[in-house]
Amino acid sequence: MGILLFVFRLFLVIKGIYGAPEVNQPRPFFVFGDSLVDNGNNNFLITPARADIFPYSIDSPSKLPTGRFFNGLNIPDIISSVFPCFFYTYMPCEHIGSEPVLPFLSLELHEEKLPLGANFASAGVGILNDTGFQFGEIIAMPLQLEYFKVYQQKLSSLVGEEKAKDIVNRALVLVSLGGNDFVNNYYLVPFSTRSLQYTLPEYVIYLVSEYRKILMKMYEMGVRRAILLGSRPLGCAPAEIAQHNELSGECSTDLQAAAELFEPQVDQMVKNLNAELGTEVFISASTRLMYFDMMNNPQAYGFVTSKSACCGQGAYNGLDFCNAYSNLCENRDELVFWDAFHPSERACRLIVEKIVNGTDDYMRPMNLTTIMYLDSRV
């Protein structure tokens, strides 16, 4: 109790001297990217890349499918929601202090909700426009940015141009891109068009250069603080283990090599881009390393396994989409993966803990706690 009291008093002193982030005012939040952050946009599209069937969202409050490719909340939900975390170890705090933002295509995104932000993500998309073509009607990145422009026009009509600009400038942005450019493009089939066009190192250089263009476009549209989720250990998803190494249970070496090339080059691109802009607009989140912590020693994080999915078919439950006829584990908290590609809600929470408080091994050049503190001083 003595230590707890000391930490509590230290927190009050620090808070009194330096101030604290404003958590009572919801911070606008925008989300772009793929299925790791899509919270329902694909429900409104003609595409097989949908998660609007049971048992997706089985652990959500309603128990009904929401369009998230998870058993419950996903990473942007957890970041944006108000929930107990620990600032300076023991003090409960808030992350962004807002409710989860709505999909841009949702009819519920009306005037009252517009200033809170919006989610533009779409399962299946990548950095490149041709990534995910097999999924039919998805919201590729140029269209996500076009929708962002439409959003800003609607917001300007509601609150005025200057206020709308301020909302966008103050917002936190989350971006998840890159994984599908390997899984659903370069390595989609043997001798794919992209693999014949580029060697893997050449393809990574091309991807990073195209990613930079997307980020610059976001900056031009008013984005001033964005967290970029990394590539994940792509070859270690249950789908890839089942497809490539069913007998050994080892990760796919090709996809692992791709992720290991891609993430450091994105980090360097972000560093160079921030230097060019003269401010730290873009933040690299090494989700690949965050996953590896859980996968290399799942028991240390309370998981039973990191190889098998909770919901699926075949070896490691890694075949096909999760559906009503799939195998379904009883305790979703015991597995790192919910389905063949996506983490469980509990794994998402552990990833968000690293986003919030992680060292520069995980978050470069700063974590979300630092972002919130610095931005509250402006």
Side-chain angles (χ1 to χ4, degrees):
M1 290 298 294
I3 294 176
L4 287 173
L5 183 59
F6 171 78
V7 171
F8 177 72
R9 287 175 175 171
L10 178 62
F11 171 81
L12 292 180
V13 170
I14 293 172
K15 180 178 178 182
I17 295 174
Y18 296 106
E22 292 291 335
V23 296
N24 293 325
Q25 294 297 320
R27 181 171 185 173
F29 193 32
F30 299 109
V31 182
F32 298 88
D34 52 30
S35 61
L36 285 173
V37 293
D38 181 0
N39 68 345
N41 279 309
N42 278 24
N43 290 356
F44 302 91
L45 306 176
I46 302 173
T47 175
R50 296 163 65 120
D52 57 348
I53 59 172
F54 180 83
Y56 283 105
S57 302
I58 189 173
D59 296 315
S60 66
S62 70
K63 311 294 183 184
L64 298 175
T66 63
R68 292 162 173 82
F69 287 76
F70 297 83
N71 59 301
L73 301 178
N74 62 13
I75 290 172
D77 292 331
I78 297 166
I79 289 176
S80 65
S81 297
V82 178
F83 77 104
C85 63
F86 293 90
F87 186 74
Y88 291 103
T89 307
Y90 292 105
M91 293 303 296
C93 65
E94 294 168 304
H95 288 176
I96 303 303
S98 177
E99 61 191 84
V101 292
L102 291 168
F104 177 74
L105 297 182
S106 172
L107 297 177
E108 297 179 23
L109 189 62
H110 45 66
E111 292 183 355
E112 180 184 347
K113 303 291 186 180
L114 272 178
L116 296 177
N119 186 317
F120 302 90
S122 175
V125 308
I127 294 168
L128 303 182
N129 292 345
D130 60 325
T131 293
F133 71 91
Q134 68 273 30
F135 297 122
E137 189 182 14
I138 56 177
I139 312 172
M141 281 309 299
L143 186 53
Q144 288 189 32
L145 295 177
E146 186 62 30
Y147 282 162
F148 187 34
K149 181 179 179 181
V150 172
Y151 166 89
Q152 293 187 44
Q153 291 169 346
K154 290 182 177 180
L155 188 62
S156 293
S157 298
L158 178 66
V159 301
E161 187 173 342
E162 286 302 313
K163 179 65 174 176
K165 181 180 178 181
D166 178 66
I167 287 173
V168 173
N169 289 165
R170 287 193 301 108
L172 181 74
V173 174
L174 184 70
V175 183
S176 175
L177 286 172
N180 285 331
D181 294 287
F182 297 104
V183 175
N184 290 316
N185 194 326
Y186 194 84
Y187 289 114
L188 178 62
V189 293
F191 308 110
S192 68
T193 300
R194 290 297 186 182
S195 67
L196 293 174
Q197 187 179 9
Y198 298 101
T199 66
L200 179 60
E202 291 170 344
Y203 184 65
V204 170
I205 291 171
Y206 173 55
L207 272 185
V208 173
S209 69
E210 293 300 300
Y211 198 2
R212 187 185 190 280
K213 294 176 184 177
I214 291 171
L215 298 180
M216 276 303 301
K217 182 65 175 178
M218 288 183 174
Y219 180 80
E220 291 166 3
M221 298 178 75
V223 170
R224 293 297 179 266
R225 194 73 84 182
I227 295 174
L228 315 179
L229 299 182
S231 57
R232 301 171 287 139
L234 299 173
C236 298
E240 303 304 334
I241 296 176
Q243 181 179 349
H244 299 287
N245 294 308
E246 178 180 343
L247 295 180
S248 68
E250 298 299 318
C251 301
S252 166
T253 54
D254 287 343
L255 281 164
Q256 286 302 94
E260 288 167 8
L261 280 174
F262 179 70
E263 192 168 280
Q265 292 192 40
V266 170
D267 285 351
Q268 187 60 50
M269 178 268 288
V270 165
K271 184 177 180 180
N272 294 343
L273 185 54
N274 285 339
E276 179 182 322
L277 297 174
T279 183
E280 292 167 336
V281 176
F282 300 106
I283 313 297
S284 294
S286 181
T287 42
R288 186 172 62 94
L289 182 57
M290 297 173 193
Y291 274 95
F292 268 137
D293 286 349
M294 294 183 281
M295 301 181 81
N296 289 338
N297 191 2
Q299 288 75 25
Y301 292 86
F303 296 110
V304 172
T305 179
S306 63
K307 294 185 182 294
S308 293
C310 172
C311 184
Q313 296 81 232
Y316 305 100
N317 278 344
L319 301 180
D320 205 0
F321 285 106
C322 172
N323 58 56
Y325 303 101
S326 298
N327 301 316
L328 181 64
C329 68
E330 292 185 2
N331 189 346
R332 272 73 71 179
D333 287 346
E334 292 182 350
L335 281 79
V336 174
F337 283 93
W338 155 247
D339 70 5
F341 288 103
H342 304 93
S344 63
E345 178 183 319
R346 183 162 178 273
C348 287
R349 289 186 177 275
L350 292 171
I351 289 168
V352 171
E353 283 184 14
K354 288 290 195 301
I355 291 173
V356 173
N357 295 313
T359 64
D360 58 9
D361 289 333
Y362 302 95
M363 299 293 296
R364 293 176 293 274
M366 68 186 85
N367 60 32
L368 183 55
T369 296
T370 303
I371 290 171
M372 296 296 287
Y373 173 75
L374 291 177
D375 291 353
S376 73
R377 312 302 296 170
V378 178

